[in-house]
Amino acid sequence: MSRNLKLYLAGAAMLLASLQQGVLAADGTSSTASATAAVQLIRPITVNKSADLTFGSIVKPSTGTGTVAVSANGSRAVTGTGAAALTSAAATAARFVIDGEGGQAITVTVARSFALKSSGNPDLTVTTTNDLPGGSTTQTLPASLGSDGSLTVNVGGAFDVSSATPTASYSGQFSVTAAYN
Amino acid sequence: MFSFRMKLAAIAIVLAAAVAPAHAQSTASTTATAGITVIQPISIVNNKNMNFGTFVKPSSNTTVTLSNAGVISGLTAVNTSGNAPSQAQFTITGEGGQAINITVPGTVALTGTGGSLTVTLTADSGTTGSAQVATLSGAIGSAGTKVVNVGGTVPLTATTASGAYSGTFTVTAAYQ
């Protein structure tokens, strides 16, 4: 094998190597470039209620106005002259469990207020409180892409009660919504 | 090839020099023209990668389409912050006015922990999977360019595992 032929073969090998790397072909007549292509799939988001918000049984104030509050951790506080909560009917905060794709950003919307209704009586307006981390509606589900991320939010509430509030059983509904951004 | 063409050009100049000073006698001289076209190498670079974005798994089979302009249809992309849908884009640079072939593959496989998805590619240079003819902008003597956008379609099913899927495809540009 002549020296020239060896050089030629070496050159050919280098040309092949450069082509395999996807760079400009050595003779400049062709060129290649690569791009990545990507898609992310995430599981549907769900919200499930695992506990209702219950205020229990409240004795209304004898005079004036008081408040009834159940915090997100389920503790109850009643104010007002003569007002009290009966220990026989426990209070609970509502609990919602949000499940979705780990690591994904979501927006959680808790109703700010809702009405407790009783037929024939004026509504009692409940203002809600919740324990979303940082008090923010924008959250990131724990865990990472490819596994389930679960976030629990507890919801409490407070309403005014006066000596004039009709005695009755009151109930109402409110919603918690979770959505990917 | 480039250097070979340069050599040809040099030879042509030498030939012309040899012919021109034909004997300064009273005889006629003849001029021949020697032509050669030297063009710059062709190159292609990737400007943007292809990204469909993030989708909630559909309840039934749904095909997501990413247009050559980067617009998604079929499903709505979610959580697009930092993960916005985009078509792939390439810029080809070479000699102005020259005819070229652009080859975009027909499909690309995206793989992830949950398996594989096949993206069918679409290119504004024409049909994918085979070489398409195009012309670089401008005229010979200056650089010309051609931009190629590549979109695609990907079928999603309710049973596709959630996760990130990715793959790579290569586009080739060549003088004809």
mmCIF file of all heavy atoms in Angstrom, chain A residues 24 27-45 101 104-105 145-147 180-181, chain B residues 42 44 46 49-57 79 110 160 162-163 165-175:
data_model
loop_
_atom_site.group_PDB
_atom_site.id
_atom_site.type_symbol
_atom_site.label_atom_id
_atom_site.label_comp_id
_atom_site.label_asym_id
_atom_site.label_seq_id
_atom_site.Cartn_x
_atom_site.Cartn_y
_atom_site.Cartn_z
ATOM 1 N N LEU A 24 -20.791 19.825 9.585
ATOM 2 C CA LEU A 24 -20.617 20.159 8.183
ATOM 3 C C LEU A 24 -19.818 19.067 7.487
ATOM 4 O O LEU A 24 -18.768 18.659 7.971
ATOM 5 C CB LEU A 24 -19.858 21.491 8.094
ATOM 6 C CG LEU A 24 -19.650 22.093 6.718
ATOM 7 C CD1 LEU A 24 -20.988 22.515 6.152
ATOM 8 C CD2 LEU A 24 -18.708 23.266 6.836
ATOM 9 N N ASP A 27 -16.739 18.165 2.459
ATOM 10 C CA ASP A 27 -16.687 18.789 1.138
ATOM 11 C C ASP A 27 -17.642 19.968 1.008
ATOM 12 O O ASP A 27 -17.720 20.595 -0.032
ATOM 13 C CB ASP A 27 -16.953 17.744 0.044
ATOM 14 C CG ASP A 27 -18.379 17.222 0.085
ATOM 15 O OD1 ASP A 27 -19.133 17.640 0.998
ATOM 16 O OD2 ASP A 27 -18.735 16.408 -0.768
ATOM 17 N N GLY A 28 -18.383 20.260 2.073
ATOM 18 C CA GLY A 28 -19.230 21.459 2.070
ATOM 19 C C GLY A 28 -20.485 21.356 1.243
ATOM 20 O O GLY A 28 -21.220 22.322 1.125
ATOM 21 N N THR A 29 -20.767 20.178 0.670
ATOM 22 C CA THR A 29 -21.958 20.074 -0.177
ATOM 23 C C THR A 29 -23.206 19.684 0.600
ATOM 24 O O THR A 29 -24.302 19.750 0.065
ATOM 25 C CB THR A 29 -21.751 19.050 -1.301
ATOM 26 O OG1 THR A 29 -21.455 17.790 -0.698
ATOM 27 C CG2 THR A 29 -20.611 19.476 -2.200
ATOM 28 N N SER A 30 -23.024 19.233 1.827
ATOM 29 C CA SER A 30 -24.196 18.931 2.644
ATOM 30 C C SER A 30 -23.877 19.183 4.104
ATOM 31 O O SER A 30 -22.711 19.283 4.492
ATOM 32 C CB SER A 30 -24.663 17.487 2.434
ATOM 33 O OG SER A 30 -23.749 16.602 3.032
ATOM 34 N N SER A 31 -24.908 19.291 4.889
ATOM 35 C CA SER A 31 -24.744 19.584 6.306
ATOM 36 C C SER A 31 -25.937 19.023 7.051
ATOM 37 O O SER A 31 -27.034 18.930 6.496
ATOM 38 C CB SER A 31 -24.654 21.101 6.505
ATOM 39 O OG SER A 31 -24.591 21.427 7.881
ATOM 40 N N THR A 32 -25.736 18.629 8.294
ATOM 41 C CA THR A 32 -26.847 18.120 9.089
ATOM 42 C C THR A 32 -26.908 18.843 10.426
ATOM 43 O O THR A 32 -25.905 19.351 10.916
ATOM 44 C CB THR A 32 -26.702 16.605 9.375
ATOM 45 O OG1 THR A 32 -25.520 16.409 10.152
ATOM 46 C CG2 THR A 32 -26.619 15.808 8.097
ATOM 47 N N ALA A 33 -28.094 18.906 10.987
ATOM 48 C CA ALA A 33 -28.283 19.466 12.324
ATOM 49 C C ALA A 33 -29.404 18.697 12.998
ATOM 50 O O ALA A 33 -30.344 18.255 12.342
ATOM 51 C CB ALA A 33 -28.625 20.953 12.254
ATOM 52 N N SER A 34 -29.295 18.535 14.294
ATOM 53 C CA SER A 34 -30.294 17.771 15.046
ATOM 54 C C SER A 34 -31.065 18.647 16.013
ATOM 55 O O SER A 34 -30.549 19.638 16.508
ATOM 56 C CB SER A 34 -29.604 16.637 15.825
ATOM 57 O OG SER A 34 -29.022 15.725 14.921
ATOM 58 N N ALA A 35 -32.306 18.259 16.244
ATOM 59 C CA ALA A 35 -33.147 18.940 17.227
ATOM 60 C C ALA A 35 -33.717 17.882 18.160
ATOM 61 O O ALA A 35 -33.910 16.743 17.763
ATOM 62 C CB ALA A 35 -34.290 19.691 16.544
ATOM 63 N N THR A 36 -33.972 18.282 19.384
ATOM 64 C CA THR A 36 -34.686 17.380 20.269
ATOM 65 C C THR A 36 -36.176 17.636 20.125
ATOM 66 O O THR A 36 -36.596 18.721 19.738
ATOM 67 C CB THR A 36 -34.294 17.580 21.744
ATOM 68 O OG1 THR A 36 -34.617 18.921 22.120
ATOM 69 C CG2 THR A 36 -32.814 17.318 21.959
ATOM 70 N N ALA A 37 -36.966 16.615 20.396
ATOM 71 C CA ALA A 37 -38.424 16.737 20.397
ATOM 72 C C ALA A 37 -38.904 16.198 21.735
ATOM 73 O O ALA A 37 -38.389 15.186 22.212
ATOM 74 C CB ALA A 37 -39.037 15.933 19.255
ATOM 75 N N ALA A 38 -39.841 16.896 22.353
ATOM 76 C CA ALA A 38 -40.248 16.502 23.702
ATOM 77 C C ALA A 38 -41.734 16.730 23.936
ATOM 78 O O ALA A 38 -42.340 17.620 23.345
ATOM 79 C CB ALA A 38 -39.444 17.277 24.740
ATOM 80 N N VAL A 39 -42.296 15.905 24.779
ATOM 81 C CA VAL A 39 -43.675 16.098 25.243
ATOM 82 C C VAL A 39 -43.757 15.573 26.673
ATOM 83 O O VAL A 39 -43.042 14.639 27.044
ATOM 84 C CB VAL A 39 -44.694 15.385 24.312
ATOM 85 C CG1 VAL A 39 -44.496 13.887 24.322
ATOM 86 C CG2 VAL A 39 -46.127 15.736 24.704
ATOM 87 N N GLN A 40 -44.583 16.204 27.475
ATOM 88 C CA GLN A 40 -44.794 15.764 28.853
ATOM 89 C C GLN A 40 -46.249 15.399 29.025
ATOM 90 O O GLN A 40 -47.138 16.150 28.634
ATOM 91 C CB GLN A 40 -44.471 16.896 29.836
ATOM 92 C CG GLN A 40 -43.058 16.885 30.328
ATOM 93 C CD GLN A 40 -42.821 17.870 31.455
ATOM 94 O OE1 GLN A 40 -41.705 18.004 31.873
ATOM 95 N NE2 GLN A 40 -43.824 18.547 31.959
ATOM 96 N N LEU A 41 -46.461 14.246 29.618
ATOM 97 C CA LEU A 41 -47.825 13.814 29.919
ATOM 98 C C LEU A 41 -48.004 13.789 31.420
ATOM 99 O O LEU A 41 -47.138 13.293 32.140
ATOM 100 C CB LEU A 41 -48.052 12.397 29.380
ATOM 101 C CG LEU A 41 -48.581 12.266 27.966
ATOM 102 C CD1 LEU A 41 -48.802 10.803 27.657
ATOM 103 C CD2 LEU A 41 -49.867 13.041 27.816
ATOM 104 N N ILE A 42 -49.122 14.314 31.883
ATOM 105 C CA ILE A 42 -49.371 14.318 33.319
ATOM 106 C C ILE A 42 -50.752 13.748 33.606
ATOM 107 O O ILE A 42 -51.648 13.809 32.765
ATOM 108 C CB ILE A 42 -49.219 15.729 33.918
ATOM 109 C CG1 ILE A 42 -50.167 16.724 33.247
ATOM 110 C CG2 ILE A 42 -47.776 16.211 33.775
ATOM 111 C CD1 ILE A 42 -50.090 18.119 33.836
ATOM 112 N N ARG A 43 -50.891 13.184 34.808
ATOM 113 C CA ARG A 43 -52.170 12.552 35.156
ATOM 114 C C ARG A 43 -53.228 13.623 35.446
ATOM 115 O O ARG A 43 -52.881 14.751 35.835
ATOM 116 C CB ARG A 43 -51.988 11.621 36.352
ATOM 117 C CG ARG A 43 -51.712 12.321 37.654
ATOM 118 C CD ARG A 43 -51.097 11.356 38.658
ATOM 119 N NE ARG A 43 -49.751 10.971 38.223
ATOM 120 C CZ ARG A 43 -49.117 9.861 38.631
ATOM 121 N NH1 ARG A 43 -49.700 9.040 39.459
ATOM 122 N NH2 ARG A 43 -47.907 9.585 38.202
ATOM 123 N N PRO A 44 -54.476 13.290 35.268
ATOM 124 C CA PRO A 44 -55.548 14.248 35.582
ATOM 125 C C PRO A 44 -55.499 14.637 37.056
ATOM 126 O O PRO A 44 -55.035 13.861 37.899
ATOM 127 C CB PRO A 44 -56.827 13.480 35.268
ATOM 128 C CG PRO A 44 -56.406 12.413 34.313
ATOM 129 C CD PRO A 44 -55.009 12.047 34.711
ATOM 130 N N ILE A 45 -55.957 15.815 37.349
ATOM 131 C CA ILE A 45 -55.981 16.297 38.739
ATOM 132 C C ILE A 45 -57.350 15.986 39.339
ATOM 133 O O ILE A 45 -58.372 16.056 38.646
ATOM 134 C CB ILE A 45 -55.663 17.805 38.772
ATOM 135 C CG1 ILE A 45 -55.263 18.249 40.183
ATOM 136 C CG2 ILE A 45 -56.807 18.650 38.234
ATOM 137 C CD1 ILE A 45 -54.615 19.621 40.198
ATOM 138 N N GLU A 101 -50.142 15.248 39.133
ATOM 139 C CA GLU A 101 -48.774 14.858 38.770
ATOM 140 C C GLU A 101 -47.776 15.561 39.683
ATOM 141 O O GLU A 101 -47.841 16.778 39.864
ATOM 142 C CB GLU A 101 -48.502 15.233 37.308
ATOM 143 C CG GLU A 101 -47.262 14.583 36.729
ATOM 144 C CD GLU A 101 -47.448 13.081 36.551
ATOM 145 O OE1 GLU A 101 -48.566 12.658 36.246
ATOM 146 O OE2 GLU A 101 -46.462 12.342 36.740
ATOM 147 N N GLN A 104 -45.880 19.381 39.629
ATOM 148 C CA GLN A 104 -46.573 20.331 38.759
ATOM 149 C C GLN A 104 -47.186 21.486 39.550
ATOM 150 O O GLN A 104 -47.647 21.316 40.673
ATOM 151 C CB GLN A 104 -47.680 19.627 37.971
ATOM 152 C CG GLN A 104 -47.158 18.625 36.955
ATOM 153 C CD GLN A 104 -46.353 19.298 35.859
ATOM 154 O OE1 GLN A 104 -46.808 20.230 35.225
ATOM 155 N NE2 GLN A 104 -45.128 18.832 35.650
ATOM 156 N N ALA A 105 -47.203 22.638 38.926
ATOM 157 C CA ALA A 105 -47.820 23.823 39.529
ATOM 158 C C ALA A 105 -49.329 23.736 39.368
ATOM 159 O O ALA A 105 -49.827 23.334 38.308
ATOM 160 C CB ALA A 105 -47.291 25.080 38.863
ATOM 161 N N LEU A 145 -42.268 14.529 38.593
ATOM 162 C CA LEU A 145 -42.921 14.039 37.372
ATOM 163 C C LEU A 145 -42.790 12.523 37.277
ATOM 164 O O LEU A 145 -41.720 11.974 37.478
ATOM 165 C CB LEU A 145 -42.262 14.706 36.160
ATOM 166 C CG LEU A 145 -42.878 14.432 34.804
ATOM 167 C CD1 LEU A 145 -44.269 15.025 34.718
ATOM 168 C CD2 LEU A 145 -41.995 15.005 33.707
ATOM 169 N N GLY A 146 -43.909 11.873 36.980
ATOM 170 C CA GLY A 146 -43.897 10.420 36.867
ATOM 171 C C GLY A 146 -44.495 9.735 38.087
ATOM 172 O O GLY A 146 -44.715 8.534 38.073
ATOM 173 N N SER A 147 -44.749 10.507 39.144
ATOM 174 C CA SER A 147 -45.381 9.913 40.317
ATOM 175 C C SER A 147 -46.484 10.838 40.832
ATOM 176 O O SER A 147 -46.554 12.006 40.462
ATOM 177 C CB SER A 147 -44.347 9.649 41.412
ATOM 178 O OG SER A 147 -43.677 10.833 41.745
ATOM 179 N N TYR A 180 -54.428 22.627 37.000
ATOM 180 C CA TYR A 180 -53.088 22.912 36.492
ATOM 181 C C TYR A 180 -53.116 24.312 35.891
ATOM 182 O O TYR A 180 -54.168 24.792 35.458
ATOM 183 C CB TYR A 180 -52.699 21.903 35.408
ATOM 184 C CG TYR A 180 -52.485 20.502 35.935
ATOM 185 C CD1 TYR A 180 -53.286 19.457 35.501
ATOM 186 C CD2 TYR A 180 -51.473 20.234 36.859
ATOM 187 C CE1 TYR A 180 -53.097 18.164 35.972
ATOM 188 C CE2 TYR A 180 -51.275 18.948 37.329
ATOM 189 C CZ TYR A 180 -52.085 17.919 36.883
ATOM 190 O OH TYR A 180 -51.893 16.645 37.348
ATOM 191 N N ASN A 181 -51.984 24.934 35.878
ATOM 192 C CA ASN A 181 -51.955 26.307 35.368
ATOM 193 C C ASN A 181 -51.955 26.330 33.850
ATOM 194 O O ASN A 181 -51.772 25.340 33.215
ATOM 195 C CB ASN A 181 -50.733 27.033 35.916
ATOM 196 C CG ASN A 181 -50.848 27.220 37.409
ATOM 197 O OD1 ASN A 181 -51.936 27.374 37.947
ATOM 198 N ND2 ASN A 181 -49.720 27.185 38.092
ATOM 199 N N ILE B 42 -22.344 24.644 2.337
ATOM 200 C CA ILE B 42 -23.697 24.747 2.899
ATOM 201 C C ILE B 42 -23.635 24.340 4.379
ATOM 202 O O ILE B 42 -22.861 23.461 4.750
ATOM 203 C CB ILE B 42 -24.678 23.852 2.104
ATOM 204 C CG1 ILE B 42 -26.126 24.197 2.470
ATOM 205 C CG2 ILE B 42 -24.389 22.384 2.313
ATOM 206 C CD1 ILE B 42 -27.146 23.549 1.531
ATOM 207 N N ILE B 44 -26.201 23.942 8.083
ATOM 208 C CA ILE B 44 -27.528 24.005 8.705
ATOM 209 C C ILE B 44 -27.333 24.000 10.210
ATOM 210 O O ILE B 44 -26.507 23.251 10.735
ATOM 211 C CB ILE B 44 -28.435 22.834 8.235
ATOM 212 C CG1 ILE B 44 -29.822 22.919 8.902
ATOM 213 C CG2 ILE B 44 -27.800 21.491 8.467
ATOM 214 C CD1 ILE B 44 -30.848 21.969 8.304
ATOM 215 N N ASN B 46 -29.470 24.288 14.109
ATOM 216 C CA ASN B 46 -30.743 24.163 14.824
ATOM 217 C C ASN B 46 -30.951 25.402 15.691
ATOM 218 O O ASN B 46 -30.150 25.707 16.560
ATOM 219 C CB ASN B 46 -30.721 22.883 15.685
ATOM 220 C CG ASN B 46 -31.896 22.808 16.642
ATOM 221 O OD1 ASN B 46 -31.715 22.639 17.834
ATOM 222 N ND2 ASN B 46 -33.108 22.963 16.122
ATOM 223 N N ASN B 49 -35.559 23.827 19.471
ATOM 224 C CA ASN B 49 -35.962 22.433 19.586
ATOM 225 C C ASN B 49 -37.481 22.321 19.558
ATOM 226 O O ASN B 49 -38.193 23.299 19.775
ATOM 227 C CB ASN B 49 -35.417 21.832 20.882
ATOM 228 C CG ASN B 49 -33.925 21.588 20.798
ATOM 229 O OD1 ASN B 49 -33.431 21.097 19.786
ATOM 230 N ND2 ASN B 49 -33.213 21.932 21.849
ATOM 231 N N MET B 50 -37.939 21.113 19.264
ATOM 232 C CA MET B 50 -39.379 20.885 19.214
ATOM 233 C C MET B 50 -39.897 20.541 20.600
ATOM 234 O O MET B 50 -39.356 19.665 21.272
ATOM 235 C CB MET B 50 -39.687 19.737 18.240
ATOM 236 C CG MET B 50 -41.162 19.351 18.218
ATOM 237 S SD MET B 50 -41.460 17.950 17.126
ATOM 238 C CE MET B 50 -41.225 18.752 15.554
ATOM 239 N N ASN B 51 -40.923 21.257 21.025
ATOM 240 C CA ASN B 51 -41.536 20.964 22.322
ATOM 241 C C ASN B 51 -43.056 21.060 22.202
ATOM 242 O O ASN B 51 -43.584 22.098 21.841
ATOM 243 C CB ASN B 51 -41.028 21.951 23.383
ATOM 244 C CG ASN B 51 -41.537 21.588 24.764
ATOM 245 O OD1 ASN B 51 -41.794 20.421 25.055
ATOM 246 N ND2 ASN B 51 -41.695 22.583 25.616
ATOM 247 N N PHE B 52 -43.707 19.936 22.474
ATOM 248 C CA PHE B 52 -45.173 19.955 22.463
ATOM 249 C C PHE B 52 -45.703 20.637 23.716
ATOM 250 O O PHE B 52 -46.737 21.279 23.690
ATOM 251 C CB PHE B 52 -45.726 18.523 22.386
ATOM 252 C CG PHE B 52 -45.673 17.925 21.008
ATOM 253 C CD1 PHE B 52 -44.511 17.355 20.520
ATOM 254 C CD2 PHE B 52 -46.791 17.956 20.188
ATOM 255 C CE1 PHE B 52 -44.461 16.809 19.251
ATOM 256 C CE2 PHE B 52 -46.763 17.407 18.908
ATOM 257 C CZ PHE B 52 -45.589 16.847 18.442
ATOM 258 N N GLY B 53 -44.989 20.463 24.822
ATOM 259 C CA GLY B 53 -45.441 21.022 26.089
ATOM 260 C C GLY B 53 -45.966 19.930 27.005
ATOM 261 O O GLY B 53 -45.625 18.756 26.850
ATOM 262 N N THR B 54 -46.804 20.329 27.937
ATOM 263 C CA THR B 54 -47.334 19.411 28.946
ATOM 264 C C THR B 54 -48.838 19.261 28.765
ATOM 265 O O THR B 54 -49.549 20.249 28.593
ATOM 266 C CB THR B 54 -47.039 19.953 30.355
ATOM 267 O OG1 THR B 54 -45.633 20.104 30.503
ATOM 268 C CG2 THR B 54 -47.553 19.004 31.428
ATOM 269 N N PHE B 55 -49.286 18.014 28.797
ATOM 270 C CA PHE B 55 -50.716 17.736 28.594
ATOM 271 C C PHE B 55 -51.226 16.792 29.660
ATOM 272 O O PHE B 55 -50.543 15.848 30.049
ATOM 273 C CB PHE B 55 -50.952 17.104 27.208
ATOM 274 C CG PHE B 55 -50.472 17.982 26.095
ATOM 275 C CD1 PHE B 55 -49.192 17.840 25.593
ATOM 276 C CD2 PHE B 55 -51.280 18.988 25.590
ATOM 277 C CE1 PHE B 55 -48.724 18.675 24.598
ATOM 278 C CE2 PHE B 55 -50.826 19.827 24.595
ATOM 279 C CZ PHE B 55 -49.542 19.674 24.101
ATOM 280 N N VAL B 56 -52.459 17.056 30.079
ATOM 281 C CA VAL B 56 -53.135 16.103 30.943
ATOM 282 C C VAL B 56 -53.567 14.936 30.064
ATOM 283 O O VAL B 56 -54.086 15.132 28.957
ATOM 284 C CB VAL B 56 -54.361 16.742 31.614
ATOM 285 C CG1 VAL B 56 -55.089 15.722 32.474
ATOM 286 C CG2 VAL B 56 -53.930 17.939 32.459
ATOM 287 N N LYS B 57 -53.327 13.737 30.572
ATOM 288 C CA LYS B 57 -53.686 12.565 29.779
ATOM 289 C C LYS B 57 -55.156 12.603 29.397
ATOM 290 O O LYS B 57 -56.023 12.823 30.249
ATOM 291 C CB LYS B 57 -53.408 11.290 30.584
ATOM 292 C CG LYS B 57 -51.948 10.943 30.638
ATOM 293 C CD LYS B 57 -51.749 9.529 31.108
ATOM 294 C CE LYS B 57 -52.080 9.374 32.576
ATOM 295 N NZ LYS B 57 -51.762 8.002 33.032
ATOM 296 N N ASN B 79 -49.488 24.298 32.254
ATOM 297 C CA ASN B 79 -48.217 24.601 32.923
ATOM 298 C C ASN B 79 -47.144 24.982 31.906
ATOM 299 O O ASN B 79 -46.053 24.416 31.870
ATOM 300 C CB ASN B 79 -47.780 23.411 33.786
ATOM 301 C CG ASN B 79 -48.676 23.254 34.998
ATOM 302 O OD1 ASN B 79 -49.719 23.899 35.091
ATOM 303 N ND2 ASN B 79 -48.277 22.430 35.938
ATOM 304 N N LEU B 110 -40.143 9.239 20.603
ATOM 305 C CA LEU B 110 -39.870 9.875 21.893
ATOM 306 C C LEU B 110 -39.943 8.779 22.956
ATOM 307 O O LEU B 110 -40.933 8.046 23.014
ATOM 308 C CB LEU B 110 -40.904 10.957 22.204
ATOM 309 C CG LEU B 110 -41.159 12.029 21.148
ATOM 310 C CD1 LEU B 110 -42.078 13.106 21.717
ATOM 311 C CD2 LEU B 110 -39.853 12.644 20.685
ATOM 312 N N THR B 160 -51.357 5.892 28.269
ATOM 313 C CA THR B 160 -49.960 6.297 28.183
ATOM 314 C C THR B 160 -49.491 6.731 29.571
ATOM 315 O O THR B 160 -50.166 7.519 30.235
ATOM 316 C CB THR B 160 -49.800 7.474 27.201
ATOM 317 O OG1 THR B 160 -50.455 7.158 25.975
ATOM 318 C CG2 THR B 160 -48.337 7.759 26.921
ATOM 319 N N SER B 162 -47.744 8.631 32.520
ATOM 320 C CA SER B 162 -47.345 10.027 32.650
ATOM 321 C C SER B 162 -45.830 10.105 32.799
ATOM 322 O O SER B 162 -45.169 9.160 33.198
ATOM 323 C CB SER B 162 -48.039 10.672 33.847
ATOM 324 O OG SER B 162 -47.655 10.036 35.036
ATOM 325 N N GLY B 163 -45.291 11.247 32.431
ATOM 326 C CA GLY B 163 -43.847 11.432 32.496
ATOM 327 C C GLY B 163 -43.352 12.258 31.331
ATOM 328 O O GLY B 163 -44.132 12.772 30.536
ATOM 329 N N TYR B 165 -41.188 12.591 27.846
ATOM 330 C CA TYR B 165 -40.753 11.802 26.696
ATOM 331 C C TYR B 165 -39.911 12.701 25.795
ATOM 332 O O TYR B 165 -40.286 13.846 25.536
ATOM 333 C CB TYR B 165 -41.960 11.290 25.899
ATOM 334 C CG TYR B 165 -42.830 10.311 26.648
ATOM 335 C CD1 TYR B 165 -43.737 10.763 27.603
ATOM 336 C CD2 TYR B 165 -42.734 8.948 26.425
ATOM 337 C CE1 TYR B 165 -44.543 9.869 28.303
ATOM 338 C CE2 TYR B 165 -43.531 8.039 27.120
ATOM 339 C CZ TYR B 165 -44.422 8.505 28.053
ATOM 340 O OH TYR B 165 -45.208 7.627 28.745
ATOM 341 N N SER B 166 -38.794 12.163 25.305
ATOM 342 C CA SER B 166 -37.970 12.978 24.403
ATOM 343 C C SER B 166 -37.229 12.106 23.405
ATOM 344 O O SER B 166 -37.040 10.905 23.619
ATOM 345 C CB SER B 166 -36.980 13.836 25.199
ATOM 346 O OG SER B 166 -36.039 13.007 25.833
ATOM 347 N N GLY B 167 -36.831 12.730 22.303
ATOM 348 C CA GLY B 167 -36.088 12.057 21.249
ATOM 349 C C GLY B 167 -35.335 13.076 20.425
ATOM 350 O O GLY B 167 -35.414 14.281 20.692
ATOM 351 N N THR B 168 -34.596 12.609 19.449
ATOM 352 C CA THR B 168 -33.788 13.497 18.605
ATOM 353 C C THR B 168 -33.977 13.127 17.146
ATOM 354 O O THR B 168 -34.064 11.947 16.810
ATOM 355 C CB THR B 168 -32.287 13.358 18.966
ATOM 356 O OG1 THR B 168 -32.120 13.621 20.344
ATOM 357 C CG2 THR B 168 -31.453 14.341 18.156
ATOM 358 N N PHE B 169 -34.083 14.138 16.299
ATOM 359 C CA PHE B 169 -34.113 13.862 14.861
ATOM 360 C C PHE B 169 -33.146 14.803 14.151
ATOM 361 O O PHE B 169 -32.768 15.841 14.689
ATOM 362 C CB PHE B 169 -35.533 13.989 14.294
ATOM 363 C CG PHE B 169 -36.105 15.376 14.345
ATOM 364 C CD1 PHE B 169 -36.016 16.225 13.244
ATOM 365 C CD2 PHE B 169 -36.740 15.852 15.479
ATOM 366 C CE1 PHE B 169 -36.541 17.503 13.270
ATOM 367 C CE2 PHE B 169 -37.258 17.130 15.526
ATOM 368 C CZ PHE B 169 -37.167 17.958 14.424
ATOM 369 N N THR B 170 -32.743 14.391 12.961
ATOM 370 C CA THR B 170 -31.705 15.119 12.228
ATOM 371 C C THR B 170 -32.221 15.563 10.869
ATOM 372 O O THR B 170 -32.877 14.804 10.168
ATOM 373 C CB THR B 170 -30.467 14.223 12.052
ATOM 374 O OG1 THR B 170 -29.983 13.882 13.358
ATOM 375 C CG2 THR B 170 -29.373 14.942 11.280
ATOM 376 N N VAL B 171 -31.944 16.797 10.523
ATOM 377 C CA VAL B 171 -32.322 17.355 9.224
ATOM 378 C C VAL B 171 -31.056 17.577 8.403
ATOM 379 O O VAL B 171 -30.038 18.043 8.931
ATOM 380 C CB VAL B 171 -33.086 18.684 9.409
ATOM 381 C CG1 VAL B 171 -33.363 19.345 8.061
ATOM 382 C CG2 VAL B 171 -34.387 18.429 10.156
ATOM 383 N N THR B 172 -31.136 17.216 7.131
ATOM 384 C CA THR B 172 -29.977 17.347 6.247
ATOM 385 C C THR B 172 -30.283 18.341 5.122
ATOM 386 O O THR B 172 -31.372 18.332 4.563
ATOM 387 C CB THR B 172 -29.623 15.976 5.615
ATOM 388 O OG1 THR B 172 -29.353 15.058 6.670
ATOM 389 C CG2 THR B 172 -28.406 16.092 4.713
ATOM 390 N N ALA B 173 -29.316 19.183 4.842
ATOM 391 C CA ALA B 173 -29.408 20.095 3.695
ATOM 392 C C ALA B 173 -28.230 19.822 2.787
ATOM 393 O O ALA B 173 -27.100 19.657 3.258
ATOM 394 C CB ALA B 173 -29.394 21.543 4.165
ATOM 395 N N ALA B 174 -28.472 19.757 1.462
ATOM 396 C CA ALA B 174 -27.389 19.456 0.523
ATOM 397 C C ALA B 174 -27.610 20.203 -0.786
ATOM 398 O O ALA B 174 -28.757 20.383 -1.210
ATOM 399 C CB ALA B 174 -27.319 17.950 0.260
ATOM 400 N N TYR B 175 -26.533 20.627 -1.388
ATOM 401 C CA TYR B 175 -26.630 21.179 -2.745
ATOM 402 C C TYR B 175 -27.053 20.073 -3.685
ATOM 403 O O TYR B 175 -26.744 18.905 -3.475
ATOM 404 C CB TYR B 175 -25.273 21.731 -3.198
ATOM 405 C CG TYR B 175 -24.873 23.028 -2.546
ATOM 406 C CD1 TYR B 175 -23.669 23.121 -1.857
ATOM 407 C CD2 TYR B 175 -25.688 24.155 -2.625
ATOM 408 C CE1 TYR B 175 -23.279 24.307 -1.265
ATOM 409 C CE2 TYR B 175 -25.315 25.341 -2.029
ATOM 410 C CZ TYR B 175 -24.112 25.421 -1.356
ATOM 411 O OH TYR B 175 -23.743 26.588 -0.769
#
